[in-house]
Coordinates of all heavy atoms in Angstrom, one line a residue:
N37 N 20.5 26.9 15.1 CA 19.5 26.0 14.8 C 19.2 25.1 16.0 O 19.8 24.1 16.3 CB 20.0 25.1 13.6 CG 18.9 24.0 13.3 OD1 17.8 24.0 13.7 ND2 19.4 22.9 12.6
C40 N 18.7 21.2 16.2 CA 19.8 20.3 16.1 C 21.0 20.7 17.0 O 21.8 19.8 17.3 CB 20.3 20.3 14.6 SG 21.6 19.2 14.3
G41 N 21.0 22.0 17.5 CA 22.1 22.4 18.3 C 23.2 23.0 17.5 O 24.3 23.3 18.0
D42 N 23.0 23.3 16.2 CA 24.0 23.9 15.4 C 24.1 25.4 15.8 O 23.0 26.1 16.0 CB 23.6 23.8 13.9 CG 23.3 22.4 13.5 OD1 24.0 21.5 14.0 OD2 22.3 22.3 12.7
G64 N 28.5 22.2 15.4 CA 27.2 21.6 15.0 C 27.4 20.3 14.2 O 28.5 19.8 14.3
C65 N 26.3 19.8 13.6 CA 26.4 18.5 13.0 C 27.2 18.6 11.7 O 27.5 19.7 11.2 CB 24.9 18.0 12.7 SG 24.1 19.1 11.4
A66 N 27.5 17.5 11.1 CA 28.3 17.4 9.9 C 27.7 18.2 8.8 O 28.4 18.9 8.0 CB 28.5 16.0 9.5
I67 N 26.4 18.2 8.6 CA 25.7 18.8 7.5 C 25.9 20.4 7.7 O 26.2 21.1 6.7 CB 24.2 18.5 7.5 CG1 24.0 17.0 7.2 CG2 23.5 19.3 6.5 CD1 24.2 16.6 5.8
S68 N 25.6 20.9 8.9 CA 25.7 22.3 9.0 C 27.2 22.9 8.8 O 27.3 23.9 8.2 CB 25.2 22.7 10.5 OG 26.1 22.3 11.4
L123 N 14.3 18.1 8.6 CA 15.0 18.7 9.7 C 16.4 19.0 9.3 O 17.0 20.0 9.8 CB 15.0 17.7 10.9 CG 13.8 17.5 11.7 CD1 14.0 16.4 12.8 CD2 13.4 18.8 12.4
R124 N 16.9 18.3 8.4 CA 18.3 18.5 7.8 C 18.4 19.8 7.0 O 19.4 20.3 6.8 CB 18.8 17.3 7.0 CG 18.9 16.1 7.9 CD 20.2 15.9 8.6 NE 20.0 16.1 10.0 CZ 21.0 15.9 10.9 NH1 22.2 15.7 10.5 NH2 20.8 16.1 12.1
K126 N 17.2 22.6 7.6 CA 17.6 23.7 8.5 C 19.1 23.7 8.8 O 19.7 24.7 8.9 CB 16.8 23.6 9.8 CG 15.3 23.8 9.6 CD 14.6 23.7 11.0 CE 13.0 23.7 10.8 NZ 12.5 25.0 10.3
C127 N 19.6 22.5 9.0 CA 21.1 22.4 9.2 C 21.8 23.0 8.0 O 22.8 23.7 8.1 CB 21.5 21.0 9.4 SG 20.6 20.2 10.8
A128 N 21.4 22.5 6.8 CA 22.1 22.9 5.6 C 21.9 24.4 5.2 O 22.8 25.0 4.6 CB 21.5 22.1 4.4
Ligands
LIG1 ZN1 22.4 20.2 12.3

Side-chain angles (χ1 to χ4, degrees):
N37 176 16
C40 180
D42 310 318
C65 66
I67 297 283
S68 67
L123 285 176
R124 300 272 112 177
K126 294 180 188 295
C127 301

